[in-house]
Amino acid sequence: MDGSASLGRIREYVDRHRERLATPGLALAVTDRDRCLGVVADGVADVAAGTQLEPHHRFQIGSISKGFTALAVLQEVERGRMRLAAPVTEYLPWFEVRSSFGPITLHHLLSHTGGLVTGSDFTGSAVSEVWSLRDTETGFAPGERFLYSNVGYKAVGLCLESVTGEPWWRTVRAQAMEPIGMGGADVIISEEARPRLATGHRSPTPDRRWLPRHGWGSSPWFESDTADGTICATAEELTAYARLLLASGAGVVSPASFEAMTTPVLPDDLGQGYGYGLRRVRGDGRSLLGHSGGMVGFSTQLLVDPSSGFGATTLTNSVYGATFDPCVFALRCLAAEAAGEVLPEIPEPPDPYRIDGAGAFAGRYADGTSEIEVVARDGGLTVEEGGRSGRLRGEDGVFVVDDPVLERFPIRFVLEGGVVVGAHWGPRWLRHERAADASEPDHPGEWTRYPGRYVTWNPWFPGFHVFLRRGELWLAVSGEASDVEGERPMFPLPDGSFRVGEPWSPDRVRFDMVIDGLAHRAVFDGAPAYRSFVP
């Protein structure tokens, strides 16, 4: 099978779903167990320059890189130079994190089960960020649950360096990439590699949720050499990794090591299974193996279907790029073509404004100073306030208002007992007309110091908002590429800091530099952010 029929159908899919894919450019490559069957390249590599995207353009593949780091570690385990059960301090004596639990092992780092914070790349240096863990604390006992940690994989790279005596990326290139034909790809993000890369893109207004009418701005450029995600490759180059996975790691790691790498340790944040640098996911009713990647300006996906013997990778030069569904569709096409079956029909792109059960959210909402009306209309919702109106688009109860004035903050509807009682809209608590209690709960007086916007110079984690609503403090992350996202409540701790989120969450924020009744600095998981008077 040459895959030509599948490639043609994939091109049609990309054409029909272009707006939904939310990216200036996309490269999708497919492979069988033996060779790359072809590449679909679409769109532009650089919006500002108008450069056509070509198959030779490389992309930052982000966290797909974690699998390569895991492969190199497992090779050292096979050689007897590393132990998965060894405490991290065996390799990094200076490694330290506040904890009332047992030691964190290499196994815990590889499987994201160590209880560490996610990390925000605030230093750009693996040593500096791992060192900063001493200013954080674990949220749960190692091995108890899954919490994705980029800084944990930075530590894995440093452990590897302590054993080999050379930079982790040289080991990964020599031991995991060159044997499969990827030795020519770039292992780190550097100025030397930059001319070979497509340009990353983000929203020109990154302080709010992106909408298609916003268009694109170029993402900030940065260099990075940390083991959690810096490999840069073309879509075709990356299919070599897919073939390695389809071959169960043959030629690079032993069957036992590959089994360890691909056996889920715990359900991950998607409710699926995570091993070492790889996820087992469900797609189109099939059990697939792979990983996604999110970078400042890039979004990527690699999936293989061991049952059919095919793999696909989708690379986009947008932080918002939709990558999972195109990969799954490509795998469906390949399986059908190989079986001599009719290729799948191209699904219609979903209406981004359609909201199931829209009527449950309709009604009037007020916060004591003004009122909005949420209207169920044409299968969706429209917000009306002050003579302006905008349709809502989103999912899981979190929506952005498609209006230039009303779009600043997403709306999050609040349900109690299965009934909508109000909505969080930035700093506002809007009570639904059906909610009986209009009183505002009390809160400690000093909490009025904290609400506001806190910003950084970090492109990974540009900042967050703190809101005081209904007697509670909430922290809303505004980063585009960060793995720390969303809006979570804050809970005071005896030391004056606040826990952010669930009782097991390791995330902490503390405030200082209080001047004239306002905190001017907020330190989130060891990373400082500073009050901005731009809303």
Side-chain angles (χ1 to χ4, degrees), residues 288 303-305 308 310-312 326-336:
L288 308 177
L303 292 173
V304 301
D305 180 2
S308 68
F310 294 107
C327 274
V328 171
F329 181 78
L331 293 174
R332 287 180 60 197
C333 290
L334 293 164

Side-chain angles (χ1 to χ4, degrees), residues 9 18 46 158 224 244 254 272 293 313 318 342 371 390 517:
R9 187 58 57 88
R18 184 170 282 109
D46 187 328
L158 296 177
S224 182
L244 177 69
S254 69
Q272 298 165 336
T313 184
S318 153
V342 176
E371 182 179 271

Side-chain angles (χ1 to χ4, degrees), residues 7 10 26-32 35-41 55 234-240 242-243 301-303 310-315 326-327 330-331 334:
L7 287 164
I10 292 166
L26 170 149
L28 191 157
V30 293
T31 186
D32 60 15
R35 63 187 177 91
C36 178
L37 300 174
V39 180
V40 172
T234 68
E236 182 173 359
E237 286 173 330
L238 194 53
T239 62
R243 290 189 291 278
Q301 185 78 232
L302 179 140
L303 292 173
F310 294 107
T313 184
T314 301
L315 309 181
C327 274
L331 293 174
L334 293 164

Side-chain angles (χ1 to χ4, degrees), residues 472-487:
E472 298 176 330
L473 285 168
W474 288 73
L475 188 145
V477 174
S478 54
E480 290 184 321
S482 172
D483 286 305
V484 180
E485 59 183 4
E487 187 174 293

Side-chain angles (χ1 to χ4, degrees), residues 7 108 130 132 178 180 201 255 321 346 450 461 463 483 518:
L7 287 164
H108 296 135
V130 173
S132 75
E178 288 179 352
I180 63 173
H201 295 85
I346 299 170
Y450 308 137
F461 193 75
D483 286 305
L518 289 178

